Amino acid sequence: MPVLFVGHGSPMNAIEDNPFSQEWRRLGETLPRPKAILCISAHWETRGVGVTAMPHPRTIHDFGGFPRELFAAQYPAPGNPELAAQVQSVIQTEPVILDDAWGLDHGCWSVLKPMFPAADIPVVQLSLDTRQPGSWHYSLGKELLSLRDQGILILASGNIVHNLGRVRLNFDDPRGFNVPFAFDWATEASDLFKKLIMEDRHAELADYLSLGSAVRMAVPTPEHYLPLLYALALKQADETVTLFNDQAVAGSLTMTSLLIQ
């Protein structure tokens, strides 16, 4: 199976018809149909590593200040306890907890709702231990490689540039978070990240805090960046990276996404 890193941006993308959700929809129509989906989302941070193991994960509305329509949205995809147990077994370097409390957060379902609207493909989430450095996450991602050969779509979801404290919104613009605009430091960081991605310079990307002040502005906290490292870790030597939704919005976010195949 291919591997995806998706810049998920605003949860409103789940219910809006915009260029980002349209591209997710196109991918859902053109990718090989997955047997199941393993999602690594920026929005499930834990101590240690957990994987959702319930047969019917709930839809988590882990945000505030959005319209009632978004809170009413559901994504009733089944879980897959067998896949959860398999994830637990293929990760050899860390103990993995089978979790029955979390569900599907918006980093996961806001992308999958346009991509696979029937919600009929089983979905499992893997958590992020954000106390760990980038190299640790990159190494952990490599342990998931065998799942690709079994028809599992690995979907990493975050945003490469993500500084909510610097977001600039125009409340008169109906596009909300999706107004195209980038601060100079966000553009500098995004350009560097894309250069390193396309040149397979993964060690530098894992050690992102050493990449300069623009990158430190772009990644003030690690949770939205770390999913990228899981996707890159799964890239094989004969595979290519295709960028899509490569757009900066609201000054300090990028929707830049990767298809690896």
Side-chain angles (χ1 to χ4, degrees), residues 223-243:
E223 75 289 336
H224 278 75
Y225 180 82
L226 292 175
L228 170 70
L229 299 179
Y230 286 79
L232 294 176
L234 292 162
K235 180 183 180 293
Q236 301 302 287
D238 61 345
E239 292 186 307
T240 60
V241 175
T242 302
L243 300 180

Side-chain angles (χ1 to χ4, degrees), residues 9-10 15 19 26 38 40 46 65 71 84 114 131 135 144 164 171 185 203 206 213 224 255-258:
S10 167
I15 60 173
R26 187 193 68 79
L38 175 63
I40 301 122
T46 55
F71 288 93
R131 303 171 303 163
S135 58
L144 303 172
L164 285 185
F171 293 100
W185 55 264
S213 59
H224 278 75
M255 296 294 290
T256 305
S257 304
L258 281 59

Side-chain angles (χ1 to χ4, degrees), residues 66-85:
F66 289 96
R68 185 176 303 174
E69 179 186 8
L70 184 59
F71 288 93
Q74 295 291 315
Y75 193 73
N80 190 325
E82 293 79 14
L83 175 57

Side-chain angles (χ1 to χ4, degrees), residues 136-194:
W136 182 94
H137 292 275
Y138 184 81
S139 296
L140 192 71
K142 284 188 172 296
E143 298 186 62
L144 303 172
L145 179 61
S146 64
L147 300 177
R148 295 183 62 188
D149 294 329
Q150 300 170 44
I152 309 301
L153 175 64
I154 298 176
L155 168 67
S157 177
N159 290 96
I160 299 178
V161 173
H162 183 272
N163 189 331
L164 285 185
R166 299 282 181 146
V167 161
R168 179 179 291 177
L169 296 178
N170 179 353
F171 293 100
D172 295 324
D173 194 311
R175 291 174 292 180
F177 271 91
N178 292 334
V179 176
F181 165 65
F183 294 112
D184 289 345
W185 55 264
T187 298
E188 179 184 344
S190 178
D191 288 347
L192 176 57
F193 283 138
K194 287 185 287 186

